Amino acid sequence: MADTVDLTLEELETLSREVLTRHGFDEAHAGAITRSVVAAQRDECHSHGVYRLIGCIETLQKGGVSPDAVPEISRAAPGIVRADARRGCSLLAFERARPTLIETASTNGVALLAINNAFHFSALWPEVESLAEAGLVALAMTPSHAFVAPAGGHAPLLGTNPIAFSWPRPGTFPYTFDFATSVVARGEIELHRRAGDAIPEGWAIDADGGSTTDPVKALEGAMLTFGGYKGSALSIMIELLAGPLIGDLLGHETRPASDDGDGRPWHGELILVIDPRTLLGDEADDHLARAEALFEGVLGQGARLPSQRRHAARRRSRERGVTIPEALYQELDDLRRRV
């Protein structure tokens, strides 16, 4: 087993904030990014945990993200909230727009948030889960850079295009799922590359369109959609809804930040929320209770709800802290100490 380092959640938060501010992110962005990556690490979602800080710093150094952009929040219509991230991180734009989104959903029963011009690297589940904790049903999606081949294709065209959903539950964690429409998140392949491990067959193809288990060749080639044509159709839907529909870019129209400054790593995110209490009135509690019977039916068969593993990890981490690879800790500690 590789050497590891144990940290309390407070130590991890301090490490993250110091890495980010050391390299130029202001306190507002550093706080928003830290809340996201620490939540992912806490819930043992390693591909979106503190290892992502390395990419944030690289993108900043290549001019691909504004470290102090102030998001502009506006209403385009009674049920539509817009957040222009101004090429800053999407996380701060979401946090600044969240109160207006909740208020809008409560008033209208349904509301839409369009986040534009954003650098986006993070998991979506913390966002939809925070909205479900406020009593809303939430659906979020975002395209990413063209890393994925459409089903039957052989070259990158689509993003990994995650989609996340959260449903409020009385007295317990919301029902939440968050997954890429590619077989796995790109970060999973990057973690295999960092560890020197092969990836499973069926995750990706190489630059010539052939199947590969080599993470380096996979990153040079194209990832595959989950479920073949079904995943490909969902991925295209996400491209359309979180791209042209909100006036933002498709995955193939963006490029990661690059040393020559030609990268365009900014794109959009769409969040749709519904307030059950506004929609259902006095009957809301009864209908939410009916939903609980469905969850109990799943568990009664010995099956697992999508967010169960994360919530169990969350309880452990709050009691014991987190464990990360020593090599990752040293890399982050080096970043904290230098510019």
Side-chain angles (χ1 to χ4, degrees):
M1 181 179 294
D3 291 335
T4 58
V5 173
D6 296 327
L7 299 168
T8 66
L9 291 176
E10 292 75 14
E11 289 171 335
L12 193 65
E13 289 170 2
T14 298
L15 174 62
S16 174
R17 285 177 182 271
E18 291 181 351
V19 166
L20 292 164
T21 56
R22 178 74 169 174
H23 288 266
F25 283 96
D26 68 13
E27 291 290 344
H29 280 284
I33 295 170
T34 292
R35 283 185 283 277
S36 177
V37 297
V38 170
Q41 199 72 51
R42 175 202 65 199
D43 286 11
E44 296 180 3
C45 300
H46 303 292
S47 65
H48 287 90
V50 292
Y51 123 86
R52 292 277 181 160
L53 295 173
I54 299 168
C56 288
I57 300 305
E58 290 177 352
T59 301
L60 176 61
Q61 292 173 338
K62 293 176 180 178
V65 59
S66 170
D68 56 3
V70 178
E72 296 179 357
I73 312 302
S74 62
R75 291 180 186 265
I80 298 176
V81 182
R82 301 202 73 117
D84 184 345
R86 301 178 66 195
R87 297 186 175 178
C89 184
S90 64
L91 292 164
L92 184 61
F94 168 76
E95 289 189 359
R96 294 284 172 88
R98 182 178 179 274
T100 304
L101 180 64
I102 292 172
E103 176 196 356
T104 302
S106 177
T107 301
N108 298 312
V110 62
L112 182 151
L113 170 61
I115 301 176
N116 294 101
N117 303 318
F119 167 63
H120 194 291
F121 72 89
S122 52
L124 293 175
W125 64 258
E127 297 177 3
V128 293
E129 193 166 270
S130 79
L131 293 166
E133 288 169 348
L136 304 175
V137 176
L139 178 72
M141 60 193 76
T142 183
S144 63
H145 309 307
F147 294 134
V148 182
H154 57 82
L157 177 66
L158 307 171
T160 55
N161 294 5
I163 185 169
F165 173 82
S166 195
W167 175 276
R169 299 183 64 193
T172 188
F173 295 113
Y175 169 85
T176 306
F177 70 75
D178 178 1
F179 54 76
T181 47
S182 52
V183 176
V184 293
R186 187 171 177 84
E188 292 287 349
I189 297 178
E190 292 173 343
L191 288 176
H192 278 71
R193 177 189 60 78
R194 288 173 63 89
D197 296 331
I199 61 172
E201 194 83 33
W203 279 18
I205 53 179
D206 61 24
D208 296 321
S211 181
T212 184
T213 60
D214 183 334
V216 175
K217 292 182 179 179
L219 294 171
E220 294 171 347
M223 301 168 65
L224 299 176
T225 59
F226 85 89
Y229 289 94
K230 293 182 179 181
S232 189
L234 286 173
S235 187
I236 292 170
M237 178 195 75
I238 292 166
E239 293 268 351
L240 297 173
L241 293 180
L245 183 64
I246 63 170
D248 222 302
L249 300 176
L250 295 160
H252 73 271
E253 295 174 321
T254 74
R255 292 185 301 277
S258 56
D259 290 325
D260 59 13
D262 285 341
R264 299 178 70 201
W266 314 287
H267 54 83
E269 178 182 352
L270 172 69
I271 301 176
L272 176 68
V273 292
I274 302 169
D275 189 334
R277 301 194 181 281
T278 307
L279 179 64
L280 298 169
D282 294 339
E283 298 179 353
D285 287 338
D286 292 339
H287 290 297
L288 290 172
R290 291 176 55 238
E292 289 302 302
L294 175 61
F295 300 133
E296 291 166 5
V298 172
L299 298 173
Q301 295 187 27
R304 180 176 68 86
L305 296 174
S307 45
Q308 267 185 269
R309 184 204 60 78
R310 286 195 303 100
H311 294 152
R314 186 179 305 179
R315 293 186 187 98
R316 288 194 301 271
S317 296
R318 284 173 172 167
E319 292 176 3
R320 311 172 194 170
V322 299
T323 300
I324 65 173
E326 183 178 23
L328 174 59
Y329 175 79
Q330 291 298 335
E331 194 167 352
L332 293 173
D333 192 44
D334 288 344
L335 285 173
R336 170 165 56 177
R337 297 172 185 276
R338 61 180 169 82
V339 176

